[in-house]
Amino acid sequence: MSAGHDHGGGEVKHEKPLWWALGLTATFLVAEVIGGLLTNSLALLSDAAHMATDVIALTISLVAVRLSRRPPDAKRTYGYARMEAIGALVNGGMLFLVAGYILWEAVGRFSEPPSVASTGMLVIAALGLVINLIAMRLLKAGSGESLNVKGAYLEVWADMLGSVGVIIGALIIQFTGFYIADPIIAVLIGLWVLPRTWTLLRAAGQVLMQGVPDGLDLEAVRAMMLSHPSVEAIHDVHAWALASKEPILTAHIVLASATDDVDQVRGTLAAALDEQFGIAHATLQVERFACTTETFHV
């Protein structure tokens, strides 16, 4: 028996804000790249690189929303939920490459910092900050309801901090002529990106490797099921996730007595898994005798 076979579709109402945020961010990305090249600001180009990852993240979110509408079929019985993790893996790989390039370029500028057009750098960064704040406003409501939208919201939030950093660097250069502030800000932005990138890659890898979902304690799940008076043992317990928020569990349940009601035990355990652990999709095989030696998979 399984419960809760809905594998998507709950994020459709958040699609319009994502489109607006994507349009604003992509438009300004082009302007920021051109501005970074014209002003010779590595910090501005670093922020543009981060904004590029925002565009990718927003696109991934939109693709996930669109694909979540597609029902499972004979070849993809779980639908397209895994596209979220695949997209995040690609996104993370690009982030690593971009951050690595920025750090490498910054090393050369520390020894011979080139002149930077601080006024243009300041204006472009200020416009970028405005764009980020608007995008954050658009995504804020959905971030509390959807992990998919929350990921995009956090990307834009982090880029907002990058814009603030570039503004600070531009002001330092404008009033002190301290050009080395530009690569310093670029390094700080790069170092901000790398830990978040690693977290993103780990989360995507965990989903793709069918690891236990974050926050799910299998020992607690096992203890809850064993506490049922009709359950003697459990074995072949597996838990994984289709995407970041869709935990799935399968288990074999051995009854304590041959007279126990199979359907009642199965229904009670499925309801408890949903209520206590948020596992809406549980497939439980109830046995009067263990079909194999008891094992517990973590």
Side-chain angles (χ1 to χ4, degrees):
M1 174 182 178
S2 60
H5 296 267
D6 178 16
H7 303 299
E11 299 179 20
V12 175
K13 66 178 180 178
H14 303 304
E15 183 175 347
K16 188 174 181 179
L18 282 168
W19 275 113
W20 275 105
L22 175 61
L24 288 169
T25 305
T27 299
F28 188 75
L29 168 63
V30 176
E32 193 167 36
V33 170
I34 295 173
L37 294 173
L38 292 177
T39 62
N40 198 30
S41 170
L42 182 60
L44 202 55
L45 289 175
S46 176
D47 188 54
H50 192 190
M51 187 164 281
T53 66
D54 292 349
V55 171
I56 295 172
L58 289 165
T59 302
I60 290 170
S61 294
L62 279 166
V63 169
V65 168
R66 284 294 180 114
L67 290 179
S68 68
R69 301 181 187 181
R70 305 177 74 172
D73 54 41
K75 291 187 176 181
R76 297 176 182 84
T77 57
Y78 279 126
Y80 295 80
R82 281 283 166 85
M83 286 300 299
E84 178 187 13
I86 294 173
L89 200 65
V90 174
N91 190 5
M94 293 182 64
L95 269 167
F96 255 117
L97 291 174
V98 169
Y101 171 76
I102 293 297
L103 293 174
W104 175 264
E105 184 70 17
V107 170
R109 292 200 176 198
F110 276 118
S111 56
E112 296 182 17
S115 60
V116 176
S118 58
T119 301
M121 176 182 172
L122 178 62
V123 170
I124 295 170
L127 289 174
L129 178 60
V130 172
I131 295 296
N132 286 320
L133 291 173
I134 293 173
M136 287 174 63
R137 176 75 176 180
L138 289 168
L139 299 174
K140 183 173 178 59
S143 68
E145 302 175 20
S146 163
L147 288 179
N148 187 32
V149 179
K150 183 178 181 179
Y153 174 77
L154 292 177
E155 282 283 347
V156 176
W157 184 86
D159 192 51
M160 182 271 294
L161 293 182
S163 295
V164 171
V166 175
I167 290 172
I168 293 173
L171 290 173
I172 291 174
I173 293 172
Q174 190 168 45
F175 290 103
T176 68
F178 188 61
Y179 289 110
I180 203 171
D182 180 63
I184 290 175
I185 295 296
V187 168
L188 291 176
I189 294 174
L191 294 178
W192 171 263
V193 170
L194 287 175
R196 295 186 313 108
T197 301
W198 177 244
T199 301
L200 179 67
L201 288 173
R202 285 185 59 187
Q206 182 77 349
V207 171
L208 293 174
M209 293 299 293
Q210 294 186 305
V212 177
D214 288 341
L216 180 62
D217 185 347
L218 273 189
E219 288 291 349
V221 172
R222 184 174 188 265
M224 183 277 291
M225 290 193 291
L226 284 173
S227 68
H228 192 289
S230 297
V231 176
E232 178 180 327
I234 66 171
H235 62 95
D236 285 337
V237 180
H238 300 273
W240 69 97
L242 287 179
S244 58
K245 65 171 187 176
E246 297 183 65
I248 296 175
L249 181 136
T250 62
H252 290 213
I253 310 297
V254 182
L255 294 179
S257 171
T259 60
D260 287 325
D261 188 321
V262 172
D263 291 331
Q264 188 274 333
V265 172
R266 189 162 43 201
T268 300
L269 291 177
L273 288 168
D274 190 7
E275 180 180 350
Q276 297 183 33
F277 301 99
I279 302 174
H281 192 132
T283 302
L284 305 175
Q285 178 173 316
V286 182
E287 306 162 350
R288 298 194 184 279
F289 303 98
C291 65
T292 185
T293 302
E294 182 175 352
T295 55
F296 180 55
H297 300 268
V298 177

